[in-house]
Amino acid sequence: MDSVEKIPRNFITDIIDDDLKAGRHDHVATRFPPEPNGYLHIGHAKSICLNFGLARDYHGTCNLRFDDTNPVKEDMEYINSIKRDVQWLGFQWSGEVRHSSDYFDQLYQFALELIDKGLAYVDELTPEAIREYRGTLKEPGKNSPYRDRSIKENRALFEKMKNGGFEEGKACLRAKIDMASPFICMRDPVIYRVRYATHALTGDKWCIYPMYDFTHCISDAIEHITHSICTLEFQDNRRLYDWVLEHISIDCHPHQYEMSRLNLEYSITSKRKLNLLVNEGYVDGWDDPRLTTISGLRRRGYTPASIREFCRRIGVTKQENTVEMTALESCIREDLNANAPRAMAVLHPLKLVIDNYGAAGVTATSFTVPNHPDKPELGTREISFSKELFIDEADFREEANKQYKRLKLGGLVRLRHGYIVKATSCEKDENGKVTCVHVEAIPNSIGCDVEGCKPKGVIHFVDANHYFDGKVMLYQRLFTVPNPGAAEDFLACVDKNSVEVIEHAALEASLAQAKVGDSFQFEREGYFCVDSKYSTEGHPVFNLTVALRETKKAQA
Ligand code: ATP
Ligand code: MG
């Protein structure tokens, strides 16, 4: 499996190969640095597959490091979910889990070093004023009136910040770089701010917290990362990454490389927006099967291998683009087509009665059928059969044209694995809705052609005297537009009808034993998995993972 899954060559593997060849490095050390302020999503999977995949392919290391510098938004729940998701995807980090907060003492010392070198100062402008003084892309910024304080004064004030002497927003530490730089991130970026918040790991030890740009590069250096991969939005910040490492006493200077983010149609890959969907109740938690969070995909029935395959196919480049949802769906469909056992499930049951059941040649009480058409090793099972069956409502019409390949009055179809039957009459309720179809079975027609009887098609069924009455959840896309992230109000793009709950599907009896983690192809319907949230012992609930094939609707 490993060799098959090797990362296809890309610009980063080219850089690594060059570095190894030129002797700039003799090993590869990467890291995956999530901020624990939400659950992981499909975009993170791209970064995970790349960083852990490089470590695998080059026999190097990959650290899992929580970038936990903002105590206000971060939480142990997120930390635990992220660890679980990385492992579920099939990866293991090197050594212990790391946290930026493990380095708070060292980061503080490096901040002092910058102050001592005259390269950092405590600013008492308000956050709004700092923003105003920063200038724009067209106009240079202005120096803060606090910029030229003495080293001694800065030391004392930074100490005061650390000791709780300032309210939030009343003071911050800024790197002294260049207020006229064409790169706004270099216009004296804030590197420490005051926050009176309890940190998930360091508790109330600190009331000042280092900013991402200051923390990230130093954390990479402390961990001796060789190739620090991030997304393109951080291209400009590379200047700051390098500036910090050039101006502190540290023996390692990792390099940052940027790749394009994964943007996926019909999906949100911003944790802030995902948080809104979850907290405002638009979805059933972070693991709602309509979300492309890792936990949502897992609950939807995606396998780790299918997600890794998707990440392999989309590749790693610097070109921004949006990937079609069908590309992700193909990966799970191919996986399940190859591996999922088949089962019969009637989602919208309609009673079918075999009037001549019991006559000579129409006496079968069960059929032995293969669990998978191409995989005899998956074994066989017994499907029960009797006079009364369920077929799907959509598989019968009183009248239909030649294109209709199912059952109509006077027409013939084959029951999957079973007899050829001919519809003779139907019963209806007071609204004219068909409630029961009567058929005659052709004697001795199981699994063989019968002279003069040409069935129009094959339909599936479940024995109405022996079945599992189960719940099935069908899903459509969560959003009505392909790019909800770009909409002014993305919450208005949520399709409120994107879940269809079928309370009483007629499922093959053996499905009552299905467990969380099991997936099936419900023949002629799609791929389904056992829902991890609502299933109970002996009462699995089934989630639609993906349709059997790309439908027009899915492509819309
Ligand atoms: P958000 O803005 O939603 O919080 P983020 O990029 O800040 O997302 P992080 O937790 O910081 O999320 O991300 C951890 C790692 O995953 C980073 O290295 C980041 O570059 C990468 N990553 C996040 N989203 C994507 C994406 N859509 N495609 C590729 N990599 C991503
Ligand atoms: Mg981030």
Side-chain angles (χ1 to χ4, degrees), residues 130 134 172-175 187-193 211 214:
I130 290 180
R134 191 170 286 138
C172 64
L173 186 71
R174 298 179 69 177
R187 294 183 188 170
D188 291 10
V190 174
I191 59 176
Y192 260 94
R193 60 181 174 174
M211 301 300 285
F214 181 66

Side-chain angles (χ1 to χ4, degrees), residues 33 35 67 212 234 271:
E35 183 180 355
D67 166 29
Y212 173 85
F234 290 94
K271 283 182 282 186

